[in-house]
């Protein structure tokens, strides 16, 4: 899943450690989120959305790829 966390964090002027502190997660978790190595739990996704004042859909975008079975 692609996301805009790095851009939103930079716009806020925060380091990864700053964001991690605000979310009560490790800096490594923030790095993994930003690089797409980790998809957040739903509660964490909601915390990110509230923190940045955005809808979840504005932060997270499904990765572009072949259509899943059953999609049109």
């Amino acid at each position: 899943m692609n996301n805009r966390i790095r851009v939103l964090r930079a716009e806020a002027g925060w380091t990864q450690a700053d964001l991690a502190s605000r979310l009560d997660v490790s800096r490594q978790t923030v790095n993994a989120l930003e690089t797409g190595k980790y998809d957040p739990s739903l509660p964490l996704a909601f915390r990110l959305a509230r923190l940045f004042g955005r809808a979840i859909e504005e932060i997270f975008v499904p990765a572009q790829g072949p259509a899943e079975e059953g999609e049109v």
Side-chain angles (χ1 to χ4, degrees):
M1 181 176 307
N2 298 321
N3 67 68
R4 299 185 58 233
I5 297 170
R6 183 183 314 252
V7 170
L8 294 170
R9 176 180 60 78
E11 287 175 356
W14 298 335
T15 64
Q16 286 184 344
D18 293 333
L19 179 56
S21 177
R22 286 172 167 82
L23 294 172
D24 197 27
V25 299
S26 70
R27 187 202 55 79
Q28 290 83 355
T29 297
V30 171
N31 181 270
L33 287 165
E34 288 184 352
T35 58
K37 294 178 182 171
Y38 172 70
D39 288 336
S41 65
L42 196 52
L44 180 53
F46 274 107
R47 288 201 318 259
L48 280 159
R50 279 193 300 273
L51 182 63
F52 289 121
R54 308 277 179 138
I56 289 176
E57 296 86 356
E58 292 179 75
I59 300 173
F60 298 97
V61 180
Q64 297 295 328
E68 292 185 21
E69 194 172 317
E71 288 186 347
V72 178

